[in-house]
Amino acid sequence: MARTKSATPRRNFSSDKDDLATKGDANGQSRKQDDKLANGYVKTESPADAVSHGGFTELVICVGGIYASFLSWAFLQERITTTSYGPSGSSEKFTYAIFLNTIQSSLAALAGYIYLRVSASRSGKPAPPIFPSQSILYPLTLVAITSSLASPFGYASLKHVDYITFILAKSCKLLPVMALHVSIFRKKYPFYKYAVVALVTAGVAVFTLHQPTSSKKKGREGGSSAWGLFLLSINLLFDGLTNSTQDYVFGTFRPFTGQQMMVAQNLMSTALTVGWLFASPYLGSTGIGSWLGMDLQAGNGEFSQAWAFLQRHPTVAWDVLGFAACGAFGQLFIFYTLSKFSSLLLVTVTVTRKMMTMILSVVSFGHRLSGMQWLGVALVFGGIGAEGVIQRREKAAKDRAKIEAAKKRS
């Protein structure tokens, strides 16, 4: 599906919807910022960013909205992709990732556009164009392509690994993001960020290696958890490409905002996936369809197969709509939260939200974790949490230095 402020590095919208970190001031205008955390969240330069603009009631609404939206989103995602529907002898699972992404991206584009218009009208200014220039179309198209390709690999991995492993691996987005920035953009990171990467990677390795044999999910074609992790690594690679391209867009086409990115990316992703859904019936009868592993026996495309599935199992349709709506509303809660409070709040909320998602999955779907697996979970979230604490201290020191420098100038 994963995971910005107005003018700098952002996170992917498709995979982890709460990874978005976009912030505007009270008038909807963007603020400047300087760097991004290794796990993809941005930090601000302005001392004013550390000051909350909302009250306690708004804080409760914002945090509660993010938790409710994304916990429901994750719950529905696991239920849609892992539940067997129908009689035990002829049960089937929902495996139509492109169809699911199309519903999700179309609702997110619509919600983002409404938010953009409402925010502009409240500020008394015209809404910014979704595509401010022709030159921005190429990088935005690349963002749409990589984000659209990421999710199918993630959903395919769920045939081979359980959802807990899926969540934990998705917490490792900092690894491909840093790798791409170091290899392509020649960016250097402080030592502690490499330590965080090592700690998170070690946590995922410990969790995976100590997975009980009885709970390992085998693929329909005799696959294994190793194949599932390989598919997840491809998913994370595309997420990293998405993030890096978003960084380029926000750094080059200022003041392109996160709201504009939300609409543009989801709109273009919807166009791409709709095109695929219409083309898939024709590709299925060609050598390309065989190479892509399409169901040649069905004789029709993914849209027809998904629609027939929903007709056979109407309850899934409500889950799909709820899943898409929760993702869209979650993004809007993030925008509103960041317009009222510091972006550091989002980091805390997101880390705790992912931990709560794992707990919800364990309780709701009966997953059992060994002691060593809980150790792996602790290593992952401990590393991410430690990074947040260090970044918070660095930001506080930088803000104090700026305040002191301003006093000396005055």
Side-chain angles (χ1 to χ4, degrees):
M1 169 162 47
R3 209 89 92 288
T4 57
K5 291 178 79 169
S6 311
T8 73
R10 303 300 202 279
R11 294 274 288 180
N12 178 29
F13 297 82
S14 62
S15 303
D16 269 337
K17 300 301 179 181
D18 58 339
D19 285 343
L20 178 63
T22 306
K23 185 177 182 179
D25 60 18
N27 296 321
Q29 295 175 325
S30 60
R31 295 179 179 174
K32 293 182 179 180
Q33 59 184 10
D34 59 348
D35 199 5
K36 183 169 71 173
L37 307 184
N39 64 1
Y41 300 102
V42 294
K43 62 173 184 175
T44 58
E45 276 192 297
S46 171
D49 276 340
V51 180
S52 296
H53 301 286
F56 177 76
T57 302
E58 286 181 309
L59 175 64
V60 172
I61 293 174
C62 289
V63 175
I66 292 174
Y67 280 150
S69 297
F70 288 114
L71 288 176
S72 300
W73 182 84
F75 174 82
L76 291 172
Q77 183 185 52
E78 181 169 9
R79 185 161 72 179
I80 291 170
T81 57
T82 63
T83 301
S84 296
Y85 299 92
S88 58
S90 58
S91 61
E92 54 183 340
K93 291 184 178 180
F94 188 90
T95 59
Y96 311 105
I98 304 298
F99 177 86
L100 188 62
N101 281 352
T102 303
I103 302 299
Q104 180 174 257
S105 60
S106 58
L107 272 181
L110 177 61
Y113 180 75
I114 294 174
Y115 182 88
L116 197 65
R117 300 288 297 185
V118 171
S119 298
S121 63
R122 293 182 65 181
S123 65
K125 298 180 180 180
I130 299 173
F131 303 103
S133 65
Q134 187 174 357
S135 58
I136 201 175
L137 291 177
Y138 171 74
L140 284 179
T141 301
L142 183 59
V143 169
I145 291 174
T146 54
S147 62
S148 297
L149 289 173
S151 290
F153 284 97
Y155 286 123
S157 70
L158 286 172
K159 298 179 182 178
H160 310 278
V161 298
D162 59 31
Y163 195 74
I164 299 294
T165 305
F166 177 82
I167 296 172
L168 205 61
K170 295 292 285 183
S171 300
C172 297
K173 283 188 177 183
L174 69 167
L175 181 57
V177 170
M178 286 183 63
L180 288 168
H181 275 278
V182 170
S183 60
I184 298 177
F185 299 104
R186 304 300 179 186
K187 184 175 181 179
K188 295 182 178 180
Y189 290 93
F191 172 77
Y192 77 86
K193 290 193 177 182
Y194 294 102
V196 168
V197 169
L199 195 62
V200 172
T201 303
V204 174
V206 169
F207 182 92
T208 305
L209 293 174
H210 289 85
Q211 189 174 23
T213 303
S214 59
S215 66
K216 291 182 179 179
K217 296 187 69 173
K218 300 297 181 180
R220 295 179 182 176
E221 293 78 29
S224 66
S225 59
W227 178 249
L229 291 175
F230 173 74
L231 295 173
L232 269 176
S233 67
I234 298 177
N235 169 269
L236 293 176
L237 176 61
F238 279 123
D239 280 347
L241 289 170
T242 300
N243 297 334
S244 299
T245 309
Q246 286 175 332
D247 291 350
Y248 169 78
V249 171
F250 287 112
T252 304
F253 300 94
R254 299 185 179 186
F256 193 71
T257 67
Q259 292 94 327
Q260 290 168 285
M261 174 64 81
M262 177 181 175
V263 180
Q265 178 177 336
N266 283 293
L267 190 63
M268 298 181 78
S269 295
T270 301
L272 289 173
T273 54
V274 167
W276 167 262
L277 291 176
F278 276 105
S280 60
Y282 306 99
L283 293 176
S285 59
T286 66
I288 297 177
S290 178
W291 184 76
L292 292 174
M294 299 176 65
D295 186 2
L296 304 181
Q297 300 293 330
N300 48 27
E302 180 170 329
F303 178 82
S304 298
Q305 295 177 45
W307 189 256
F309 187 99
L310 296 181
Q311 289 181 318
R312 291 192 299 273
H313 312 286
T315 56
V316 184
W318 293 108
D319 285 349
V320 169
L321 289 176
F323 169 77
C326 287
F329 280 114
Q331 291 183 56
L332 298 183
F333 273 114
I334 285 176
F335 279 122
Y336 187 77
T337 300
L338 289 171
S339 70
K340 296 294 182 180
F341 303 96
S342 167
S343 60
L344 293 175
L345 174 68
L346 180 65
V347 178
T348 303
V349 171
T350 299
V351 172
T352 55
R353 194 278 301 172
K354 289 184 177 181
M355 295 176 65
M356 291 175 64
T357 298
M358 294 189 66
I359 295 174
L360 177 64
S361 180
V362 170
V363 173
S364 301
F365 296 93
H367 299 294
R368 294 184 179 181
L369 304 184
S370 65
M372 290 299 295
Q373 285 185 298
W374 282 115
L375 175 61
V377 172
L379 288 174
V380 170
F381 290 108
I384 296 174
E387 182 197 21
V389 171
I390 295 173
Q391 289 285 359
R392 187 184 186 91
R393 291 177 179 176
E394 287 184 348
K395 180 182 181 300
K398 187 177 294 186
D399 289 345
R400 286 195 299 268
K402 288 185 176 182
I403 294 174
E404 292 175 0
K407 287 182 180 179
K408 291 180 180 180
R409 286 195 299 267
S410 61

